[in-house]
Amino acid sequence: EAGGGGLDVGADGGSGAMIGVKICLECLKLITEDCTDSDFNAKISTSRRNDILLGLNEMSSCILPPIFELLSTQYGQVNAAKSTLQQMNAYLASNGRNPSQMTPEEQVQYQQQIDKRDVAGAIVADVLGTLEKFCQSMPLDWMFNLDNQQKGIDFISALLHLLQEDTANIQVLSVACLQQLSMRKLEQDQWFRIIS
């Protein structure tokens, strides 16, 4: 488990671990939505919503680091698989071949890299879906916390970097997160962090 938060995908990124990660991320997203979105507020009493939000806020130091670690490691997996695919394509091109001319063994290895890229990309997309709700509704300190930045947890820089990634619509989801933040009342330094 990454930081004890239950978001570790495991070394092999197996489907069991992925299902657990997806459930955890979806639960965080739904809890945030149910407690903060006016369309869902009627489902939970005001006092209960406030208790849940206070609890989430108190636990943010336990929630956010594993989410950031998951985002970082899975994005690293996306990049590693893409790099391997580029190397495979370069190897084929240097031998006057294209992907349709691969041997059966090469096809298996090539497909494994595509699968790794797509699986990791889907997890990054799920993380960004949860972060979008956080950006929309949770305290701005969740994304802009200077203490977290000093610990290497910088969601704003990560979101800005992910604007370059096209796997699994990651760039679109990053824009959605940044858009949610930009629609909130930001301090000047927070605003400059987003646009710089």
PDB file of all heavy atoms in Angstrom, residues 21-55:
ATOM      1  N   VAL A  21      -8.045  -0.247  -6.584  1.00  0.00           N
ATOM      2  CA  VAL A  21      -7.676   1.156  -6.776  1.00  0.00           C
ATOM      3  C   VAL A  21      -8.856   1.928  -7.360  1.00  0.00           C
ATOM      4  O   VAL A  21      -9.184   3.025  -6.903  1.00  0.00           O
ATOM      5  CB  VAL A  21      -6.433   1.272  -7.694  1.00  0.00           C
ATOM      6  CG1 VAL A  21      -6.232   2.689  -8.181  1.00  0.00           C
ATOM      7  CG2 VAL A  21      -5.202   0.775  -6.965  1.00  0.00           C
ATOM      8  N   LYS A  22      -9.491   1.358  -8.378  1.00  0.00           N
ATOM      9  CA  LYS A  22     -10.625   2.035  -9.008  1.00  0.00           C
ATOM     10  C   LYS A  22     -11.765   2.249  -8.020  1.00  0.00           C
ATOM     11  O   LYS A  22     -12.392   3.309  -7.995  1.00  0.00           O
ATOM     12  CB  LYS A  22     -11.107   1.250 -10.225  1.00  0.00           C
ATOM     13  CG  LYS A  22     -10.166   1.333 -11.410  1.00  0.00           C
ATOM     14  CD  LYS A  22     -10.682   0.496 -12.574  1.00  0.00           C
ATOM     15  CE  LYS A  22      -9.866   0.686 -13.805  1.00  0.00           C
ATOM     16  NZ  LYS A  22     -10.100   1.959 -14.480  1.00  0.00           N
ATOM     17  N   ILE A  23     -12.020   1.243  -7.178  1.00  0.00           N
ATOM     18  CA  ILE A  23     -13.086   1.363  -6.173  1.00  0.00           C
ATOM     19  C   ILE A  23     -12.740   2.461  -5.177  1.00  0.00           C
ATOM     20  O   ILE A  23     -13.588   3.300  -4.841  1.00  0.00           O
ATOM     21  CB  ILE A  23     -13.320   0.007  -5.467  1.00  0.00           C
ATOM     22  CG1 ILE A  23     -13.981  -0.975  -6.429  1.00  0.00           C
ATOM     23  CG2 ILE A  23     -14.168   0.185  -4.212  1.00  0.00           C
ATOM     24  CD1 ILE A  23     -14.063  -2.404  -5.917  1.00  0.00           C
ATOM     25  N   CYS A  24     -11.502   2.475  -4.705  1.00  0.00           N
ATOM     26  CA  CYS A  24     -11.068   3.486  -3.742  1.00  0.00           C
ATOM     27  C   CYS A  24     -11.198   4.895  -4.324  1.00  0.00           C
ATOM     28  O   CYS A  24     -11.737   5.794  -3.684  1.00  0.00           O
ATOM     29  CB  CYS A  24      -9.634   3.200  -3.334  1.00  0.00           C
ATOM     30  SG  CYS A  24      -9.027   4.244  -2.003  1.00  0.00           S
ATOM     31  N   LEU A  25     -10.728   5.082  -5.541  1.00  0.00           N
ATOM     32  CA  LEU A  25     -10.809   6.398  -6.186  1.00  0.00           C
ATOM     33  C   LEU A  25     -12.257   6.820  -6.415  1.00  0.00           C
ATOM     34  O   LEU A  25     -12.625   7.973  -6.196  1.00  0.00           O
ATOM     35  CB  LEU A  25     -10.041   6.391  -7.506  1.00  0.00           C
ATOM     36  CG  LEU A  25      -8.525   6.319  -7.388  1.00  0.00           C
ATOM     37  CD1 LEU A  25      -7.892   6.045  -8.744  1.00  0.00           C
ATOM     38  CD2 LEU A  25      -7.965   7.591  -6.771  1.00  0.00           C
ATOM     39  N   GLU A  26     -13.072   5.880  -6.845  1.00  0.00           N
ATOM     40  CA  GLU A  26     -14.488   6.191  -7.091  1.00  0.00           C
ATOM     41  C   GLU A  26     -15.195   6.541  -5.786  1.00  0.00           C
ATOM     42  O   GLU A  26     -16.023   7.452  -5.752  1.00  0.00           O
ATOM     43  CB  GLU A  26     -15.174   5.011  -7.802  1.00  0.00           C
ATOM     44  CG  GLU A  26     -16.556   5.316  -8.294  1.00  0.00           C
ATOM     45  CD  GLU A  26     -16.628   6.372  -9.392  1.00  0.00           C
ATOM     46  OE1 GLU A  26     -15.621   6.624 -10.081  1.00  0.00           O
ATOM     47  OE2 GLU A  26     -17.719   6.955  -9.567  1.00  0.00           O
ATOM     48  N   CYS A  27     -14.876   5.841  -4.702  1.00  0.00           N
ATOM     49  CA  CYS A  27     -15.475   6.151  -3.402  1.00  0.00           C
ATOM     50  C   CYS A  27     -15.108   7.565  -2.956  1.00  0.00           C
ATOM     51  O   CYS A  27     -15.975   8.321  -2.509  1.00  0.00           O
ATOM     52  CB  CYS A  27     -15.045   5.136  -2.350  1.00  0.00           C
ATOM     53  SG  CYS A  27     -15.830   3.526  -2.511  1.00  0.00           S
ATOM     54  N   LEU A  28     -13.831   7.914  -3.074  1.00  0.00           N
ATOM     55  CA  LEU A  28     -13.412   9.269  -2.707  1.00  0.00           C
ATOM     56  C   LEU A  28     -14.129  10.313  -3.550  1.00  0.00           C
ATOM     57  O   LEU A  28     -14.551  11.357  -3.046  1.00  0.00           O
ATOM     58  CB  LEU A  28     -11.896   9.417  -2.861  1.00  0.00           C
ATOM     59  CG  LEU A  28     -11.050   8.767  -1.775  1.00  0.00           C
ATOM     60  CD1 LEU A  28      -9.580   8.768  -2.177  1.00  0.00           C
ATOM     61  CD2 LEU A  28     -11.235   9.493  -0.452  1.00  0.00           C
ATOM     62  N   LYS A  29     -14.253  10.023  -4.824  1.00  0.00           N
ATOM     63  CA  LYS A  29     -14.938  10.954  -5.732  1.00  0.00           C
ATOM     64  C   LYS A  29     -16.409  11.106  -5.346  1.00  0.00           C
ATOM     65  O   LYS A  29     -16.930  12.224  -5.265  1.00  0.00           O
ATOM     66  CB  LYS A  29     -14.797  10.440  -7.168  1.00  0.00           C
ATOM     67  CG  LYS A  29     -15.381  11.362  -8.220  1.00  0.00           C
ATOM     68  CD  LYS A  29     -14.971  10.891  -9.597  1.00  0.00           C
ATOM     69  CE  LYS A  29     -16.163  10.476 -10.385  1.00  0.00           C
ATOM     70  NZ  LYS A  29     -15.833  10.015 -11.731  1.00  0.00           N
ATOM     71  N   LEU A  30     -17.078   9.991  -5.087  1.00  0.00           N
ATOM     72  CA  LEU A  30     -18.499  10.031  -4.747  1.00  0.00           C
ATOM     73  C   LEU A  30     -18.753  10.678  -3.395  1.00  0.00           C
ATOM     74  O   LEU A  30     -19.724  11.427  -3.230  1.00  0.00           O
ATOM     75  CB  LEU A  30     -19.105   8.629  -4.789  1.00  0.00           C
ATOM     76  CG  LEU A  30     -19.223   8.018  -6.183  1.00  0.00           C
ATOM     77  CD1 LEU A  30     -19.682   6.572  -6.107  1.00  0.00           C
ATOM     78  CD2 LEU A  30     -20.156   8.836  -7.060  1.00  0.00           C
ATOM     79  N   ILE A  31     -17.902  10.396  -2.415  1.00  0.00           N
ATOM     80  CA  ILE A  31     -18.056  11.030  -1.105  1.00  0.00           C
ATOM     81  C   ILE A  31     -17.921  12.539  -1.243  1.00  0.00           C
ATOM     82  O   ILE A  31     -18.723  13.301  -0.708  1.00  0.00           O
ATOM     83  CB  ILE A  31     -17.022  10.469  -0.100  1.00  0.00           C
ATOM     84  CG1 ILE A  31     -17.389   9.036   0.283  1.00  0.00           C
ATOM     85  CG2 ILE A  31     -16.933  11.350   1.143  1.00  0.00           C
ATOM     86  CD1 ILE A  31     -16.311   8.306   1.050  1.00  0.00           C
ATOM     87  N   THR A  32     -16.912  12.968  -1.988  1.00  0.00           N
ATOM     88  CA  THR A  32     -16.713  14.400  -2.204  1.00  0.00           C
ATOM     89  C   THR A  32     -17.921  15.004  -2.899  1.00  0.00           C
ATOM     90  O   THR A  32     -18.439  16.052  -2.495  1.00  0.00           O
ATOM     91  CB  THR A  32     -15.437  14.641  -3.037  1.00  0.00           C
ATOM     92  OG1 THR A  32     -14.336  14.065  -2.359  1.00  0.00           O
ATOM     93  CG2 THR A  32     -15.196  16.116  -3.261  1.00  0.00           C
ATOM     94  N   GLU A  33     -18.386  14.335  -3.933  1.00  0.00           N
ATOM     95  CA  GLU A  33     -19.542  14.838  -4.684  1.00  0.00           C
ATOM     96  C   GLU A  33     -20.794  14.878  -3.826  1.00  0.00           C
ATOM     97  O   GLU A  33     -21.515  15.875  -3.813  1.00  0.00           O
ATOM     98  CB  GLU A  33     -19.760  13.942  -5.906  1.00  0.00           C
ATOM     99  CG  GLU A  33     -20.860  14.408  -6.827  1.00  0.00           C
ATOM    100  CD  GLU A  33     -20.946  13.511  -8.051  1.00  0.00           C
ATOM    101  OE1 GLU A  33     -21.161  12.295  -7.884  1.00  0.00           O
ATOM    102  OE2 GLU A  33     -20.807  14.048  -9.160  1.00  0.00           O
ATOM    103  N   ASP A  34     -21.051  13.806  -3.095  1.00  0.00           N
ATOM    104  CA  ASP A  34     -22.262  13.740  -2.279  1.00  0.00           C
ATOM    105  C   ASP A  34     -22.282  14.789  -1.182  1.00  0.00           C
ATOM    106  O   ASP A  34     -23.346  15.242  -0.771  1.00  0.00           O
ATOM    107  CB  ASP A  34     -22.418  12.352  -1.648  1.00  0.00           C
ATOM    108  CG  ASP A  34     -22.836  11.299  -2.664  1.00  0.00           C
ATOM    109  OD1 ASP A  34     -23.158  11.661  -3.815  1.00  0.00           O
ATOM    110  OD2 ASP A  34     -22.835  10.107  -2.298  1.00  0.00           O
ATOM    111  N   CYS A  35     -21.115  15.174  -0.703  1.00  0.00           N
ATOM    112  CA  CYS A  35     -21.046  16.137   0.393  1.00  0.00           C
ATOM    113  C   CYS A  35     -20.948  17.584  -0.061  1.00  0.00           C
ATOM    114  O   CYS A  35     -21.160  18.491   0.734  1.00  0.00           O
ATOM    115  CB  CYS A  35     -19.857  15.811   1.294  1.00  0.00           C
ATOM    116  SG  CYS A  35     -20.092  14.302   2.228  1.00  0.00           S
ATOM    117  N   THR A  36     -20.614  17.815  -1.311  1.00  0.00           N
ATOM    118  CA  THR A  36     -20.373  19.192  -1.745  1.00  0.00           C
ATOM    119  C   THR A  36     -21.222  19.649  -2.924  1.00  0.00           C
ATOM    120  O   THR A  36     -21.416  20.840  -3.113  1.00  0.00           O
ATOM    121  CB  THR A  36     -18.893  19.388  -2.132  1.00  0.00           C
ATOM    122  OG1 THR A  36     -18.554  18.490  -3.189  1.00  0.00           O
ATOM    123  CG2 THR A  36     -17.987  19.132  -0.934  1.00  0.00           C
ATOM    124  N   ASP A  37     -21.726  18.750  -3.728  1.00  0.00           N
ATOM    125  CA  ASP A  37     -22.467  19.114  -4.926  1.00  0.00           C
ATOM    126  C   ASP A  37     -23.933  19.341  -4.570  1.00  0.00           C
ATOM    127  O   ASP A  37     -24.580  18.492  -3.960  1.00  0.00           O
ATOM    128  CB  ASP A  37     -22.336  17.993  -5.973  1.00  0.00           C
ATOM    129  CG  ASP A  37     -22.841  18.416  -7.333  1.00  0.00           C
ATOM    130  OD1 ASP A  37     -23.946  18.993  -7.407  1.00  0.00           O
ATOM    131  OD2 ASP A  37     -22.143  18.162  -8.326  1.00  0.00           O
ATOM    132  N   SER A  38     -24.469  20.483  -4.965  1.00  0.00           N
ATOM    133  CA  SER A  38     -25.844  20.828  -4.608  1.00  0.00           C
ATOM    134  C   SER A  38     -26.862  19.835  -5.169  1.00  0.00           C
ATOM    135  O   SER A  38     -27.931  19.645  -4.592  1.00  0.00           O
ATOM    136  CB  SER A  38     -26.180  22.243  -5.092  1.00  0.00           C
ATOM    137  OG  SER A  38     -26.079  22.316  -6.507  1.00  0.00           O
ATOM    138  N   ASP A  39     -26.543  19.166  -6.271  1.00  0.00           N
ATOM    139  CA  ASP A  39     -27.463  18.184  -6.834  1.00  0.00           C
ATOM    140  C   ASP A  39     -27.598  16.949  -5.944  1.00  0.00           C
ATOM    141  O   ASP A  39     -28.585  16.229  -6.015  1.00  0.00           O
ATOM    142  CB  ASP A  39     -27.002  17.732  -8.224  1.00  0.00           C
ATOM    143  CG  ASP A  39     -27.090  18.855  -9.244  1.00  0.00           C
ATOM    144  OD1 ASP A  39     -27.866  19.800  -9.023  1.00  0.00           O
ATOM    145  OD2 ASP A  39     -26.371  18.786 -10.254  1.00  0.00           O
ATOM    146  N   PHE A  40     -26.602  16.698  -5.112  1.00  0.00           N
ATOM    147  CA  PHE A  40     -26.594  15.499  -4.276  1.00  0.00           C
ATOM    148  C   PHE A  40     -26.783  15.800  -2.797  1.00  0.00           C
ATOM    149  O   PHE A  40     -26.914  14.890  -1.994  1.00  0.00           O
ATOM    150  CB  PHE A  40     -25.267  14.744  -4.468  1.00  0.00           C
ATOM    151  CG  PHE A  40     -25.061  14.264  -5.868  1.00  0.00           C
ATOM    152  CD1 PHE A  40     -24.330  15.011  -6.780  1.00  0.00           C
ATOM    153  CD2 PHE A  40     -25.606  13.060  -6.295  1.00  0.00           C
ATOM    154  CE1 PHE A  40     -24.143  14.569  -8.075  1.00  0.00           C
ATOM    155  CE2 PHE A  40     -25.419  12.621  -7.589  1.00  0.00           C
ATOM    156  CZ  PHE A  40     -24.690  13.364  -8.481  1.00  0.00           C
ATOM    157  N   ASN A  41     -26.810  17.075  -2.413  1.00  0.00           N
ATOM    158  CA  ASN A  41     -26.862  17.442  -1.003  1.00  0.00           C
ATOM    159  C   ASN A  41     -28.064  16.879  -0.265  1.00  0.00           C
ATOM    160  O   ASN A  41     -28.001  16.641   0.936  1.00  0.00           O
ATOM    161  CB  ASN A  41     -26.837  18.964  -0.839  1.00  0.00           C
ATOM    162  CG  ASN A  41     -25.439  19.514  -0.926  1.00  0.00           C
ATOM    163  OD1 ASN A  41     -24.471  18.778  -0.863  1.00  0.00           O
ATOM    164  ND2 ASN A  41     -25.334  20.817  -1.079  1.00  0.00           N
ATOM    165  N   ALA A  42     -29.159  16.677  -0.942  1.00  0.00           N
ATOM    166  CA  ALA A  42     -30.376  16.200  -0.283  1.00  0.00           C
ATOM    167  C   ALA A  42     -30.229  14.774   0.231  1.00  0.00           C
ATOM    168  O   ALA A  42     -30.978  14.338   1.098  1.00  0.00           O
ATOM    169  CB  ALA A  42     -31.559  16.286  -1.243  1.00  0.00           C
ATOM    170  N   LYS A  43     -29.244  14.042  -0.256  1.00  0.00           N
ATOM    171  CA  LYS A  43     -29.064  12.646   0.156  1.00  0.00           C
ATOM    172  C   LYS A  43     -28.528  12.523   1.582  1.00  0.00           C
ATOM    173  O   LYS A  43     -28.733  11.511   2.231  1.00  0.00           O
ATOM    174  CB  LYS A  43     -28.094  11.931  -0.793  1.00  0.00           C
ATOM    175  CG  LYS A  43     -28.612  11.728  -2.178  1.00  0.00           C
ATOM    176  CD  LYS A  43     -27.581  10.973  -3.001  1.00  0.00           C
ATOM    177  CE  LYS A  43     -28.050  10.781  -4.413  1.00  0.00           C
ATOM    178  NZ  LYS A  43     -27.058  10.057  -5.215  1.00  0.00           N
ATOM    179  N   ILE A  44     -27.821  13.536   2.063  1.00  0.00           N
ATOM    180  CA  ILE A  44     -27.166  13.471   3.366  1.00  0.00           C
ATOM    181  C   ILE A  44     -27.525  14.734   4.144  1.00  0.00           C
ATOM    182  O   ILE A  44     -27.519  15.836   3.597  1.00  0.00           O
ATOM    183  CB  ILE A  44     -25.632  13.389   3.196  1.00  0.00           C
ATOM    184  CG1 ILE A  44     -25.240  12.196   2.326  1.00  0.00           C
ATOM    185  CG2 ILE A  44     -24.936  13.289   4.545  1.00  0.00           C
ATOM    186  CD1 ILE A  44     -23.763  12.167   1.966  1.00  0.00           C
ATOM    187  N   SER A  45     -27.822  14.569   5.426  1.00  0.00           N
ATOM    188  CA  SER A  45     -28.161  15.739   6.243  1.00  0.00           C
ATOM    189  C   SER A  45     -26.956  16.675   6.337  1.00  0.00           C
ATOM    190  O   SER A  45     -25.806  16.252   6.213  1.00  0.00           O
ATOM    191  CB  SER A  45     -28.588  15.307   7.649  1.00  0.00           C
ATOM    192  OG  SER A  45     -27.474  14.808   8.360  1.00  0.00           O
ATOM    193  N   THR A  46     -27.244  17.950   6.599  1.00  0.00           N
ATOM    194  CA  THR A  46     -26.183  18.955   6.657  1.00  0.00           C
ATOM    195  C   THR A  46     -25.160  18.623   7.726  1.00  0.00           C
ATOM    196  O   THR A  46     -23.949  18.714   7.479  1.00  0.00           O
ATOM    197  CB  THR A  46     -26.786  20.352   6.924  1.00  0.00           C
ATOM    198  OG1 THR A  46     -27.725  20.638   5.881  1.00  0.00           O
ATOM    199  CG2 THR A  46     -25.722  21.427   6.958  1.00  0.00           C
ATOM    200  N   SER A  47     -25.599  18.222   8.892  1.00  0.00           N
ATOM    201  CA  SER A  47     -24.643  17.922   9.963  1.00  0.00           C
ATOM    202  C   SER A  47     -23.766  16.725   9.593  1.00  0.00           C
ATOM    203  O   SER A  47     -22.569  16.720   9.872  1.00  0.00           O
ATOM    204  CB  SER A  47     -25.361  17.677  11.289  1.00  0.00           C
ATOM    205  OG  SER A  47     -26.184  16.536  11.201  1.00  0.00           O
ATOM    206  N   ARG A  48     -24.354  15.723   8.964  1.00  0.00           N
ATOM    207  CA  ARG A  48     -23.571  14.552   8.551  1.00  0.00           C
ATOM    208  C   ARG A  48     -22.569  14.938   7.456  1.00  0.00           C
ATOM    209  O   ARG A  48     -21.421  14.497   7.471  1.00  0.00           O
ATOM    210  CB  ARG A  48     -24.500  13.443   8.064  1.00  0.00           C
ATOM    211  CG  ARG A  48     -23.775  12.175   7.709  1.00  0.00           C
ATOM    212  CD  ARG A  48     -23.150  11.553   8.941  1.00  0.00           C
ATOM    213  NE  ARG A  48     -22.422  10.357   8.551  1.00  0.00           N
ATOM    214  CZ  ARG A  48     -21.240  10.023   9.025  1.00  0.00           C
ATOM    215  NH1 ARG A  48     -20.651  10.765   9.927  1.00  0.00           N
ATOM    216  NH2 ARG A  48     -20.651   8.934   8.623  1.00  0.00           N
ATOM    217  N   ARG A  49     -23.000  15.762   6.497  1.00  0.00           N
ATOM    218  CA  ARG A  49     -22.087  16.237   5.440  1.00  0.00           C
ATOM    219  C   ARG A  49     -20.911  16.982   6.047  1.00  0.00           C
ATOM    220  O   ARG A  49     -19.760  16.757   5.684  1.00  0.00           O
ATOM    221  CB  ARG A  49     -22.817  17.162   4.460  1.00  0.00           C
ATOM    222  CG  ARG A  49     -23.616  16.463   3.416  1.00  0.00           C
ATOM    223  CD  ARG A  49     -24.035  17.389   2.291  1.00  0.00           C
ATOM    224  NE  ARG A  49     -24.432  18.715   2.672  1.00  0.00           N
ATOM    225  CZ  ARG A  49     -25.677  19.106   2.919  1.00  0.00           C
ATOM    226  NH1 ARG A  49     -26.674  18.243   2.814  1.00  0.00           N
ATOM    227  NH2 ARG A  49     -25.951  20.346   3.242  1.00  0.00           N
ATOM    228  N   ASN A  50     -21.213  17.865   6.999  1.00  0.00           N
ATOM    229  CA  ASN A  50     -20.142  18.632   7.638  1.00  0.00           C
ATOM    230  C   ASN A  50     -19.181  17.722   8.392  1.00  0.00           C
ATOM    231  O   ASN A  50     -17.967  17.936   8.361  1.00  0.00           O
ATOM    232  CB  ASN A  50     -20.732  19.693   8.568  1.00  0.00           C
ATOM    233  CG  ASN A  50     -21.421  20.804   7.796  1.00  0.00           C
ATOM    234  OD1 ASN A  50     -21.160  21.001   6.618  1.00  0.00           O
ATOM    235  ND2 ASN A  50     -22.317  21.511   8.459  1.00  0.00           N
ATOM    236  N   ASP A  51     -19.707  16.714   9.075  1.00  0.00           N
ATOM    237  CA  ASP A  51     -18.844  15.761   9.786  1.00  0.00           C
ATOM    238  C   ASP A  51     -17.926  15.028   8.808  1.00  0.00           C
ATOM    239  O   ASP A  51     -16.735  14.843   9.070  1.00  0.00           O
ATOM    240  CB  ASP A  51     -19.682  14.731  10.562  1.00  0.00           C
ATOM    241  CG  ASP A  51     -20.379  15.325  11.774  1.00  0.00           C
ATOM    242  OD1 ASP A  51     -19.993  16.428  12.209  1.00  0.00           O
ATOM    243  OD2 ASP A  51     -21.315  14.674  12.283  1.00  0.00           O
ATOM    244  N   ILE A  52     -18.490  14.602   7.685  1.00  0.00           N
ATOM    245  CA  ILE A  52     -17.703  13.875   6.683  1.00  0.00           C
ATOM    246  C   ILE A  52     -16.628  14.787   6.102  1.00  0.00           C
ATOM    247  O   ILE A  52     -15.466  14.389   5.966  1.00  0.00           O
ATOM    248  CB  ILE A  52     -18.612  13.304   5.578  1.00  0.00           C
ATOM    249  CG1 ILE A  52     -19.508  12.201   6.160  1.00  0.00           C
ATOM    250  CG2 ILE A  52     -17.784  12.769   4.409  1.00  0.00           C
ATOM    251  CD1 ILE A  52     -20.619  11.749   5.235  1.00  0.00           C
ATOM    252  N   LEU A  53     -16.996  16.018   5.765  1.00  0.00           N
ATOM    253  CA  LEU A  53     -16.015  16.951   5.204  1.00  0.00           C
ATOM    254  C   LEU A  53     -14.913  17.287   6.203  1.00  0.00           C
ATOM    255  O   LEU A  53     -13.742  17.383   5.833  1.00  0.00           O
ATOM    256  CB  LEU A  53     -16.712  18.222   4.719  1.00  0.00           C
ATOM    257  CG  LEU A  53     -17.581  18.039   3.475  1.00  0.00           C
ATOM    258  CD1 LEU A  53     -18.356  19.318   3.163  1.00  0.00           C
ATOM    259  CD2 LEU A  53     -16.737  17.618   2.289  1.00  0.00           C
ATOM    260  N   LEU A  54     -15.282  17.452   7.480  1.00  0.00           N
ATOM    261  CA  LEU A  54     -14.267  17.693   8.502  1.00  0.00           C
ATOM    262  C   LEU A  54     -13.328  16.494   8.607  1.00  0.00           C
ATOM    263  O   LEU A  54     -12.105  16.657   8.716  1.00  0.00           O
ATOM    264  CB  LEU A  54     -14.931  17.963   9.859  1.00  0.00           C
ATOM    265  CG  LEU A  54     -15.523  19.352  10.047  1.00  0.00           C
ATOM    266  CD1 LEU A  54     -16.320  19.432  11.352  1.00  0.00           C
ATOM    267  CD2 LEU A  54     -14.427  20.402  10.040  1.00  0.00           C
ATOM    268  N   GLY A  55     -13.891  15.301   8.561  1.00  0.00           N
ATOM    269  CA  GLY A  55     -13.074  14.089   8.610  1.00  0.00           C
ATOM    270  C   GLY A  55     -12.137  13.989   7.418  1.00  0.00           C
ATOM    271  O   GLY A  55     -10.960  13.644   7.569  1.00  0.00           O
TER     272      GLY A  55
END
